[in-house]
Short mmCIF file of all heavy atoms in Angstrom, two decimals:
data_model
loop_
_atom_site.label_atom_id
_atom_site.label_comp_id
_atom_site.label_asym_id
_atom_site.label_seq_id
_atom_site.Cartn_x
_atom_site.Cartn_y
_atom_site.Cartn_z
N HIS A 1 -155.32 5.84 -124.55
CA HIS A 1 -154.20 5.97 -125.61
C HIS A 1 -154.24 4.60 -126.40
O HIS A 1 -153.82 4.62 -127.65
CB HIS A 1 -152.83 6.12 -124.95
CG HIS A 1 -152.83 7.33 -124.05
ND1 HIS A 1 -152.70 8.61 -124.64
CD2 HIS A 1 -152.88 7.44 -122.65
CE1 HIS A 1 -152.75 9.45 -123.55
NE2 HIS A 1 -152.86 8.77 -122.44
N LEU A 2 -154.65 3.58 -125.85
CA LEU A 2 -154.72 2.31 -126.52
C LEU A 2 -155.99 2.24 -127.40
O LEU A 2 -155.87 1.82 -128.60
CB LEU A 2 -154.82 1.15 -125.50
CG LEU A 2 -154.84 -0.34 -125.91
CD1 LEU A 2 -153.65 -0.61 -126.83
CD2 LEU A 2 -154.90 -1.23 -124.78
N VAL A 3 -157.08 2.67 -126.90
CA VAL A 3 -158.27 2.58 -127.66
C VAL A 3 -158.37 3.58 -128.88
O VAL A 3 -158.93 3.26 -129.87
CB VAL A 3 -159.57 2.73 -126.67
CG1 VAL A 3 -160.87 2.89 -127.62
CG2 VAL A 3 -159.61 1.67 -125.75
N GLU A 4 -157.70 4.62 -128.73
CA GLU A 4 -157.72 5.63 -129.75
C GLU A 4 -156.97 5.13 -131.01
O GLU A 4 -157.07 5.66 -132.20
CB GLU A 4 -157.20 6.94 -129.34
CG GLU A 4 -155.59 7.00 -129.09
CD GLU A 4 -155.04 8.28 -128.77
OE1 GLU A 4 -155.90 9.25 -128.59
OE2 GLU A 4 -153.81 8.48 -128.63
N ARG A 5 -156.14 4.13 -130.84
CA ARG A 5 -155.38 3.50 -131.99
C ARG A 5 -156.33 2.58 -132.89
O ARG A 5 -155.99 2.21 -133.98
CB ARG A 5 -154.21 2.63 -131.48
CG ARG A 5 -153.11 3.40 -130.84
CD ARG A 5 -152.44 4.34 -131.73
NE ARG A 5 -151.18 4.94 -131.11
CZ ARG A 5 -149.94 4.49 -131.23
NH1 ARG A 5 -149.72 3.41 -132.01
NH2 ARG A 5 -148.92 5.13 -130.72
N GLY A 6 -157.53 2.35 -132.39
CA GLY A 6 -158.37 1.43 -133.12
C GLY A 6 -159.53 2.25 -133.87
O GLY A 6 -159.25 3.51 -134.12
N ARG A 7 -160.55 1.68 -134.15
CA ARG A 7 -161.68 2.27 -134.91
C ARG A 7 -162.45 3.33 -134.09
O ARG A 7 -162.38 3.19 -132.83
CB ARG A 7 -162.69 1.22 -135.35
CG ARG A 7 -162.17 0.24 -136.36
CD ARG A 7 -163.25 -0.86 -136.56
NE ARG A 7 -162.87 -1.95 -137.46
CZ ARG A 7 -162.80 -1.86 -138.77
NH1 ARG A 7 -163.23 -0.74 -139.42
NH2 ARG A 7 -162.35 -2.84 -139.48
N PRO A 8 -163.02 4.31 -134.61
CA PRO A 8 -163.90 5.11 -133.91
C PRO A 8 -165.07 4.32 -133.39
O PRO A 8 -165.32 3.20 -133.93
CB PRO A 8 -164.47 6.14 -134.86
CG PRO A 8 -164.06 5.63 -136.20
CD PRO A 8 -162.84 4.75 -136.02
N ILE A 9 -165.63 4.57 -132.31
CA ILE A 9 -166.56 3.70 -131.63
C ILE A 9 -167.98 3.78 -132.28
O ILE A 9 -168.56 2.78 -132.62
CB ILE A 9 -166.66 3.98 -130.11
CG1 ILE A 9 -165.26 3.64 -129.46
CG2 ILE A 9 -167.82 3.09 -129.49
CD1 ILE A 9 -165.26 4.02 -127.94
N ARG A 10 -168.44 4.93 -132.35
CA ARG A 10 -169.91 5.04 -132.81
C ARG A 10 -170.05 5.31 -134.30
O ARG A 10 -169.20 5.89 -134.92
CB ARG A 10 -170.64 6.14 -132.00
CG ARG A 10 -170.89 5.74 -130.63
CD ARG A 10 -171.81 6.74 -129.95
NE ARG A 10 -172.00 6.26 -128.50
CZ ARG A 10 -173.10 5.47 -128.24
NH1 ARG A 10 -173.84 5.03 -129.18
NH2 ARG A 10 -173.30 5.04 -126.95
N SER A 11 -171.28 4.78 -134.85
CA SER A 11 -171.51 4.99 -136.29
C SER A 11 -171.57 6.40 -136.73
O SER A 11 -171.48 6.76 -137.91
CB SER A 11 -172.90 4.25 -136.66
OG SER A 11 -172.76 2.86 -136.38
N SER A 12 -171.84 7.29 -135.79
CA SER A 12 -171.90 8.74 -136.14
C SER A 12 -170.55 9.30 -136.68
O SER A 12 -170.48 10.29 -137.27
CB SER A 12 -172.29 9.59 -134.91
OG SER A 12 -171.44 9.36 -133.77
N SER A 13 -169.49 8.44 -136.42
CA SER A 13 -168.13 8.88 -136.86
C SER A 13 -167.79 8.22 -138.26
O SER A 13 -166.61 8.39 -138.71
CB SER A 13 -167.08 8.43 -135.91
OG SER A 13 -167.25 9.10 -134.61
N ASP A 14 -168.71 7.47 -138.87
CA ASP A 14 -168.54 6.84 -140.15
C ASP A 14 -168.15 7.78 -141.29
O ASP A 14 -168.78 8.89 -141.25
CB ASP A 14 -169.66 5.97 -140.50
CG ASP A 14 -169.69 4.67 -139.74
OD1 ASP A 14 -168.72 4.16 -139.15
OD2 ASP A 14 -170.88 4.13 -139.63
N SER A 15 -167.35 7.35 -142.14
CA SER A 15 -167.09 8.14 -143.43
C SER A 15 -166.65 7.06 -144.40
O SER A 15 -166.45 5.91 -144.10
CB SER A 15 -166.06 9.14 -143.19
OG SER A 15 -164.72 8.57 -143.04
N PRO A 16 -166.57 7.49 -145.70
CA PRO A 16 -165.99 6.61 -146.70
C PRO A 16 -164.65 6.06 -146.42
O PRO A 16 -164.18 4.99 -146.93
CB PRO A 16 -165.99 7.43 -147.99
CG PRO A 16 -167.05 8.40 -147.79
CD PRO A 16 -166.97 8.77 -146.28
N LEU A 17 -163.84 6.77 -145.50
CA LEU A 17 -162.53 6.35 -145.17
C LEU A 17 -162.43 5.69 -143.78
O LEU A 17 -161.24 5.28 -143.42
CB LEU A 17 -161.54 7.56 -145.32
CG LEU A 17 -161.45 8.20 -146.69
CD1 LEU A 17 -160.59 9.45 -146.63
CD2 LEU A 17 -160.95 7.28 -147.73
N ALA A 18 -163.48 5.74 -143.01
CA ALA A 18 -163.40 5.17 -141.66
C ALA A 18 -164.72 4.49 -141.30
O ALA A 18 -165.72 5.10 -141.38
CB ALA A 18 -163.07 6.35 -140.67
N THR A 19 -164.60 3.31 -140.86
CA THR A 19 -165.74 2.49 -140.43
C THR A 19 -165.63 2.37 -138.84
O THR A 19 -164.69 1.82 -138.36
CB THR A 19 -165.73 1.11 -141.10
OG1 THR A 19 -165.71 1.26 -142.52
CG2 THR A 19 -167.01 0.36 -140.67
N SER A 20 -166.75 2.70 -138.20
CA SER A 20 -166.72 2.64 -136.85
C SER A 20 -166.88 1.18 -136.34
O SER A 20 -167.21 0.30 -137.03
CB SER A 20 -167.80 3.48 -136.21
OG SER A 20 -169.07 2.88 -136.61
N LEU A 21 -166.48 1.01 -135.02
CA LEU A 21 -166.66 -0.38 -134.45
C LEU A 21 -168.14 -0.69 -134.46
O LEU A 21 -168.53 -1.88 -134.69
CB LEU A 21 -166.09 -0.32 -133.06
CG LEU A 21 -166.20 -1.78 -132.33
CD1 LEU A 21 -164.97 -1.94 -131.44
CD2 LEU A 21 -167.45 -1.65 -131.31
N GLU A 22 -169.01 0.26 -134.16
CA GLU A 22 -170.51 -0.05 -134.17
C GLU A 22 -170.91 -0.56 -135.47
O GLU A 22 -171.68 -1.48 -135.55
CB GLU A 22 -171.26 1.13 -133.69
CG GLU A 22 -172.70 0.99 -133.61
CD GLU A 22 -173.51 2.27 -133.12
OE1 GLU A 22 -172.82 3.30 -133.09
OE2 GLU A 22 -174.68 2.05 -132.78
N THR A 23 -170.54 0.22 -136.54
CA THR A 23 -170.94 -0.22 -137.91
C THR A 23 -170.36 -1.56 -138.33
O THR A 23 -171.04 -2.37 -138.93
CB THR A 23 -170.60 0.87 -138.88
OG1 THR A 23 -171.35 2.00 -138.60
CG2 THR A 23 -170.83 0.47 -140.28
N TYR A 24 -169.08 -1.73 -137.99
CA TYR A 24 -168.41 -3.04 -138.24
C TYR A 24 -169.12 -4.19 -137.60
O TYR A 24 -169.44 -5.19 -138.18
CB TYR A 24 -166.92 -3.02 -137.88
CG TYR A 24 -166.09 -4.15 -138.22
CD1 TYR A 24 -165.31 -4.19 -139.39
CD2 TYR A 24 -166.09 -5.30 -137.48
CE1 TYR A 24 -164.59 -5.35 -139.69
CE2 TYR A 24 -165.42 -6.45 -137.79
CZ TYR A 24 -164.59 -6.40 -138.99
OH TYR A 24 -163.85 -7.56 -139.33
N LEU A 25 -169.51 -3.94 -136.36
CA LEU A 25 -170.09 -5.05 -135.54
C LEU A 25 -171.47 -5.33 -136.10
O LEU A 25 -171.80 -6.49 -136.27
CB LEU A 25 -170.25 -4.59 -134.04
CG LEU A 25 -171.00 -5.56 -133.12
CD1 LEU A 25 -170.29 -6.86 -133.07
CD2 LEU A 25 -171.19 -4.91 -131.73
N LYS A 26 -172.26 -4.28 -136.40
CA LYS A 26 -173.58 -4.56 -136.96
C LYS A 26 -173.53 -5.27 -138.30
O LYS A 26 -174.38 -6.08 -138.60
CB LYS A 26 -174.43 -3.28 -137.05
CG LYS A 26 -174.85 -2.71 -135.72
CD LYS A 26 -175.73 -1.51 -135.84
CE LYS A 26 -176.33 -1.00 -134.50
NZ LYS A 26 -177.27 0.04 -134.70
N GLY A 27 -172.45 -4.92 -139.11
CA GLY A 27 -172.34 -5.54 -140.39
C GLY A 27 -172.02 -7.03 -140.19
O GLY A 27 -172.65 -7.83 -140.92
N GLU A 28 -171.21 -7.32 -139.19
CA GLU A 28 -170.87 -8.74 -139.05
C GLU A 28 -172.17 -9.53 -138.40
O GLU A 28 -172.41 -10.67 -138.79
CB GLU A 28 -169.71 -8.83 -138.10
CG GLU A 28 -169.35 -10.31 -137.81
CD GLU A 28 -167.89 -10.55 -137.22
OE1 GLU A 28 -167.03 -9.74 -137.59
OE2 GLU A 28 -167.81 -11.41 -136.37
#
């Protein structure tokens, strides 16, 4: 319930409106 409030985890969930944690991390 806590984690679902954050970003989706994997890049496969990316969209123009949602950036996954994996994509955010790789970008940084």
Side-chain angles (χ1 to χ4, degrees):
H1 306 285
L2 183 55
V3 172
E4 73 178 4
R5 294 293 185 99
R7 298 176 181 275
I9 295 174
R10 290 193 173 271
S11 295
S12 55
S13 299
D14 284 338
S15 73
L17 299 177
T19 302
S20 67
L21 180 140
E22 182 180 13
T23 293
Y24 186 97
L25 175 61
K26 286 185 174 182
E28 182 163 323

